[in-house]
Amino acid sequence: MRIIRTIAEVREAVRAARRQDRTVGLVPTMGAFHDGHLSLMDEARRNNDLVVVSLFVNPTQFGANEDLSRYPRDEARDAAMADDHGVDILFAPEPSEIYPDGFATTIHIAGVTDVLDGAVRGAHHFDGVATVVAKLFGIMAPDVAYFGQKDAQQVLVVRRLVRDLNLDVRIEACPIVREADGLAMSSRNVYLDPAARAQATALNRSLDAAQALADAGERDAGTIIAAAHAVLAEAGIAPEYLELRDADTLQPITRLDGDALLAVAAQVGAARLIDNHTLRSADRRGDA
């Protein structure tokens, strides 16, 4: 595996692959790899000739009071893990390489960024995501880019970016990878002390409770959400949001009649965690 620091060098490496008619798969990451990241790399490896993983803690998607300075970083560990999973190139630029002096462009995507994490963290968050992803796509022009479904809203933002800007990239969303007790894997899980780690399992359990109601035929959104709230309350967690929204548009819904995203975010101990389930109404569960 090659570790590349500059745009010019990674662009030339990808062009060389293109000249040999090789397909290119990109896995954008901020590092601190766990099995969720590795599952994306494995999927990219199975389906592409050249696999590129970007490792870049993107400063523009962090707010002033967020965890940019303490976000976990261990490039040597990450590089070894990526190499073990068949990655060809680890693109690990400095911030000044991505955002040189005088950089003055931001991409804003309206609608799907206005709710959930966009409402809580502010417009800058998804502006930063959209801008850096657009840059990565422009630098490497991958055939396919792989993202984790844990960041479901981010996936929708990237899909809208690709659609609206007519970018020739296919977006693959891969399933959430969980710990044995159901906690969604996240780089921020390292912030959890033992007590908070145990408490954090309530996020997925709350979604499971809502899922069980939907599976039993419940369609009222308020009833489904109330079941999830009850699990969180019992665990002493006050969510930043716990909402059921249309899975494609993120518009609010009052009744489960199709695919819906049940999404939660909460501060648990020292970590801000997110999770989600995609719910289907009982009469649509057998649909293709």
Side-chain angles (χ1 to χ4, degrees):
M1 185 185 74
R2 298 170 60 191
I3 298 177
I4 295 179
R5 307 285 180 187
T6 69
I7 290 170
E9 189 177 358
V10 75
R11 181 171 276 162
E12 179 50 39
V14 171
R15 284 174 175 165
R18 294 278 188 213
R19 287 193 289 269
Q20 299 173 7
D21 293 324
R22 303 176 71 200
T23 57
V24 178
L26 171 65
V27 182
T29 82
M30 294 205 302
F33 294 158
H34 50 68
D35 284 352
H37 295 108
L38 300 180
S39 71
L40 303 181
M41 297 177 204
D42 291 343
E43 185 68 12
R45 180 70 285 159
R46 282 190 291 270
N47 294 287
N48 297 275
D49 299 315
L50 181 76
V51 175
V52 182
V53 171
S54 62
L55 194 167
F56 181 64
V57 181
N58 178 35
T60 64
Q61 68 189 70
F62 288 79
N65 298 314
E66 295 183 338
D67 59 341
L68 174 61
S69 63
R70 68 188 182 104
Y71 194 84
R73 295 168 171 86
D74 189 340
E75 184 183 298
R77 170 186 172 275
D78 288 345
M81 294 173 74
D83 195 15
D84 286 344
H85 283 259
V87 171
D88 298 300
I89 295 172
L90 186 70
F91 178 47
E94 292 296 322
S96 59
E97 182 73 7
I98 300 298
Y99 301 113
D101 287 345
F103 186 86
T105 298
T106 298
I107 295 177
H108 176 72
I109 299 170
V112 293
T113 66
D114 298 334
V115 299
L116 302 178
D117 256 32
V120 172
R121 298 185 69 177
H124 72 275
H125 172 63
F126 285 119
D127 289 355
V129 169
T131 302
V132 77
V133 169
K135 285 185 68 75
L136 291 172
F137 289 174
I139 291 164
M140 286 171 275
D143 295 284
V144 192
Y146 298 84
F147 294 85
Q149 184 62 27
K150 183 179 75 69
D151 297 293
Q153 187 175 12
Q154 175 176 274
V155 171
L156 291 176
V157 169
V158 173
R159 290 193 190 281
R160 185 63 58 87
L161 170 75
V162 167
R163 189 196 75 177
D164 289 356
L165 298 186
N166 304 111
L167 303 178
D168 190 17
V169 183
R170 188 172 86 251
I171 304 303
E172 289 287 346
C174 298
I176 298 172
V177 177
R178 299 184 180 277
E179 302 284 359
D181 58 9
L183 179 66
M185 290 192 176
S186 168
S187 299
R188 290 184 168 96
N189 288 351
V190 299
Y191 300 157
L192 298 168
D193 63 26
R197 174 65 182 75
Q199 185 184 27
T201 62
L203 268 69
N204 185 50
R205 287 190 285 110
S206 75
L207 301 178
D208 283 342
Q211 180 84 61
L213 272 185
D215 288 347
E218 181 61 60
R219 292 188 179 187
D220 180 69
T223 302
I224 292 170
I225 293 170
H229 268 294
V231 174
L232 294 179
E234 185 178 4
I237 295 174
E240 291 180 351
Y241 60 76
L242 175 59
E243 299 182 24
L244 190 63
R245 291 180 171 268
D246 182 272
D248 296 319
T249 67
L250 296 186
Q251 290 298 305
I253 61 173
T254 59
R255 184 175 174 82
L256 183 61
D257 289 322
D259 289 357
L261 181 73
L262 181 63
V264 62
Q267 188 73 31
V268 182
R272 181 183 186 272
L273 303 177
I274 62 173
D275 203 347
N276 68 84
H277 280 195
T278 300
L279 306 186
R280 306 198 79 183
S281 57
D283 59 338
R284 286 176 53 90
R285 201 161 301 115
D287 294 353

